[in-house]
Amino acid sequence: MTDDRAARQGDRTAPRYVPGHGLLAGRTAVITAAAGAGIGGATARRFLEEGARVVIGDAHTRRLRQAEAALAGEFGDRAVAAAPCDVTDETQVRALFDKAAEEHGGLDIVVNNAGLGGTAPLTEMTDDQWSGVLDTTLTGTFRCTRAALRSFAATGRGGVIVNNSSVLGWRAQAGQAHYAAAKAGVMALTRCAAVEAAEYGVRVNAVAPSLAMHPHLARVTTPELLAELTAGEAYGRCAEPWEVANAIVFLASDYSSYLTGEVVSVSSRHP
């Protein structure tokens, strides 16, 4: 995109924050990796704005407590609870879901947002790098999906699972073999889980963001690569994390009551 075109489109593509409409009123949601300024944190806020109660988990305990305090101060103590959760640890996953049962008697929505990235050429990638990304991003999503389905089956009141995948599950990018493989696995897991979950009245879908800007991404990505990726987007800009969260709200709400096993692209880039 040329500078002139970007300037002409600037006002038209600038995102407008949508106020809450009570789409998730009275529901309880578990959201992993929800501390900080990324998609998980934005999703927690959007869910609260839509009337949900949230139980947030994150492997970074200090950051998690800060997020809990900030959200509780804005939305009320009864709306927010937190439990440290490293999704590679089954005990911590169970504790997160137990927290939802303890605080609210169960849950209605699960957002599997936890993931681990990194960049390494295949010829230099170590087994530990490969395994670390797969264990957090794919197997962690499996652990939480399993816990969610067990909870939904026990209560018999249905539910929703939304997984955070990535357009790299479809596209190739150098240095991202482990991350792309994990996110493609999340897509396949979403489809298979949806088939099995249907008998419980549970919907399972995923979002696949392309480029959502947040501080962590800025720290682990070079300015040159960010500029290159941004230039490939039709709008000439990154998504805001809350724009991805809006798509997650849609999939969690009754507006998507007949969608299951779907992966929704949240991207303005179409090769």
Side-chain angles (χ1 to χ4, degrees):
M1 177 182 292
T2 66
D3 290 342
D4 287 345
R5 183 184 168 198
R8 289 197 304 272
Q9 289 192 351
D11 290 342
R12 296 200 302 274
T13 66
R16 295 175 176 83
Y17 200 85
V18 181
H21 288 76
L23 297 181
L24 305 177
R27 301 183 191 181
T28 298
V30 165
I31 307 170
T32 64
I39 292 171
T43 300
R45 173 170 293 278
R46 291 301 285 138
F47 273 38
L48 287 161
E49 290 169 347
E50 292 292 349
R53 300 175 294 265
V54 301
V55 180
I56 57 175
D58 202 283
H60 301 278
T61 303
R62 181 183 59 81
R63 198 166 64 188
L64 176 68
R65 296 306 178 195
Q66 290 174 341
E68 179 187 21
L71 291 171
E74 186 172 350
F75 295 96
D77 291 341
R78 296 184 63 184
V80 184
C85 183
D86 178 344
V87 297
T88 67
D89 185 330
E90 174 64 13
T91 300
Q92 293 188 39
V93 169
R94 289 181 182 177
L96 177 63
F97 283 82
D98 288 346
K99 184 74 171 180
E102 173 190 324
E103 294 286 334
H104 305 295
L107 68 154
D108 304 288
I109 303 162
V110 173
V111 178
N112 289 317
N113 174 67
L116 180 65
T119 301
L122 271 172
T123 53
E124 299 174 16
M125 188 179 294
T126 67
D127 284 8
D128 285 345
Q129 286 175 305
W130 174 271
S131 299
V133 170
L134 268 289
D135 194 19
T136 297
T137 306
L138 177 55
T139 310
T141 300
F142 154 71
R143 291 186 186 98
C144 292
T145 298
R146 178 175 59 189
L149 290 179
R150 286 172 174 172
S151 176
F152 291 144
T155 61
R157 67 189 197 190
V160 180
I161 299 171
V162 184
N163 296 325
N164 190 3
S165 185
S166 168
V167 294
L168 289 186
W170 292 314
R171 302 175 188 161
Q173 184 174 314
Q176 295 296 310
H178 46 0
Y179 185 73
K183 290 300 190 178
V186 170
M187 292 180 178
L189 173 63
T190 297
R191 291 188 287 268
C192 292
V195 173
E196 295 188 26
E199 68 175 285
Y200 307 121
V202 174
R203 295 184 290 108
V204 187
N205 293 292
V207 293
S210 57
L211 190 62
M213 179 51 65
H214 53 85
H216 179 67
L217 177 64
R219 286 196 300 270
V220 300
T221 309
T222 65
E224 294 77 16
L225 179 57
L226 280 177
E228 178 185 342
L229 295 173
T230 301
E233 297 290 323
Y235 289 148
R237 66 171 178 85
C238 302
E240 297 291 338
W242 57 261
E243 292 181 283
V244 180
N246 285 347
I248 295 172
V249 167
F250 164 71
L251 291 174
S253 77
D254 291 341
Y255 279 110
S256 62
S257 59
Y258 201 65
L259 267 67
T260 197
E262 296 294 333
V263 180
V264 177
S265 174
V266 187
S267 172
S268 68
R269 176 183 175 185
H270 302 283

